[in-house]
Amino acid sequence: MAKASIEVIEALKKTADSIENGSPYMWGHMGSCNCGNLAQIVTKRTKAEIHAYAMQGHGDWNEQVNHYCGQTQMPIDLIIFELLTFGFTTDDLKHLEKLSDPKILEGLGDKKYTLSHNQKDDVVVYMKEWAKMLENQMIENIILPTFKEEYNQMYV
């Protein structure tokens, strides 16, 4: 699961907002599909650049992530590397393309049964739930300092 960080959460929210507000979305286009839109936000590359990089390899995002090798210097591997370095995992990318992460789907309750991986509104719902889940993880991991009893009694 992606690292629960402000940067990752913001990237998910920005991607969801961008898709929701009219960013080009086409599931069959490597630069404007689920992962393609996220890659645009994270890498600052255009959909055309991402698509061109991906077309030098074989298959959809899921297949290209399966064949990812940090040593090959294939253009799509550079994009995947940037996403991994940013805080996402290869499993995150595979799940994002299919809207299939069980933990994220669990948070959606009954709505999880109606998600379609190639519908932009469903991608937005999935990404917002993912961001909310990561925010909750961050909150749960906050440890507040405890003070000695003498300090507490000074202010009573």
Side-chain angles (χ1 to χ4, degrees):
M1 176 61 66
K3 185 170 87 174
S5 70
I6 292 171
E7 295 80 14
V8 166
I9 292 165
E10 283 300 310
L12 290 169
K13 286 180 174 183
K14 283 181 184 177
T15 305
D17 288 346
S18 178
I19 293 170
E20 190 171 43
N21 293 316
S23 177
Y25 178 83
M26 184 187 326
W27 191 79
H29 186 281
M30 296 289 285
S32 59
C33 59
N34 306 355
C35 287
N37 271 286
L38 178 63
Q40 286 180 54
I41 297 296
V42 171
T43 69
K44 308 294 188 247
R45 288 187 174 84
T46 68
K47 68 178 184 162
E49 289 174 299
I50 295 165
H51 186 73
Y53 284 9
M55 291 296 96
Q56 294 178 39
H58 300 287
D60 64 10
W61 270 94
N62 197 47
E63 291 174 64
Q64 296 213 29
V65 168
N66 276 335
H67 291 88
Y68 167 74
C69 175
Q71 305 300 318
T72 65
Q73 300 300 311
M74 287 289 293
I76 192 64
D77 285 349
L78 298 174
I79 301 275
I80 294 169
F81 176 78
E82 286 185 61
L83 290 164
L84 299 178
T85 303
F86 194 79
F88 296 98
T89 68
T90 55
D91 284 340
D92 291 331
L93 300 176
K94 290 185 235 179
H95 284 304
L96 175 57
E97 202 56 22
K98 302 290 186 185
L99 305 184
S100 61
D101 187 295
K103 291 178 184 173
I104 297 169
L105 294 174
E106 185 178 304
L108 292 172
D110 290 338
K111 188 164 182 84
K112 70 182 172 186
Y113 298 109
T114 63
L115 289 185
S116 180
H117 68 276
N118 60 355
Q119 297 297 313
K120 74 178 205 170
D121 292 339
D122 292 346
V123 177
V124 169
V125 167
Y126 183 91
M127 292 183 106
K128 285 183 177 183
E129 179 61 30
W130 189 3
K132 184 174 89 175
M133 186 181 80
L134 292 174
E135 284 175 336
N136 289 337
Q137 280 181 11
M138 285 185 72
I139 291 168
E140 289 171 8
N141 290 325
I142 293 173
I143 299 171
L144 296 174
T146 56
F147 298 100
K148 293 182 179 178
E149 188 59 36
E150 312 91 58
Y151 183 82
N152 288 337
Q153 289 178 359
M154 289 176 21
Y155 295 99
V156 176

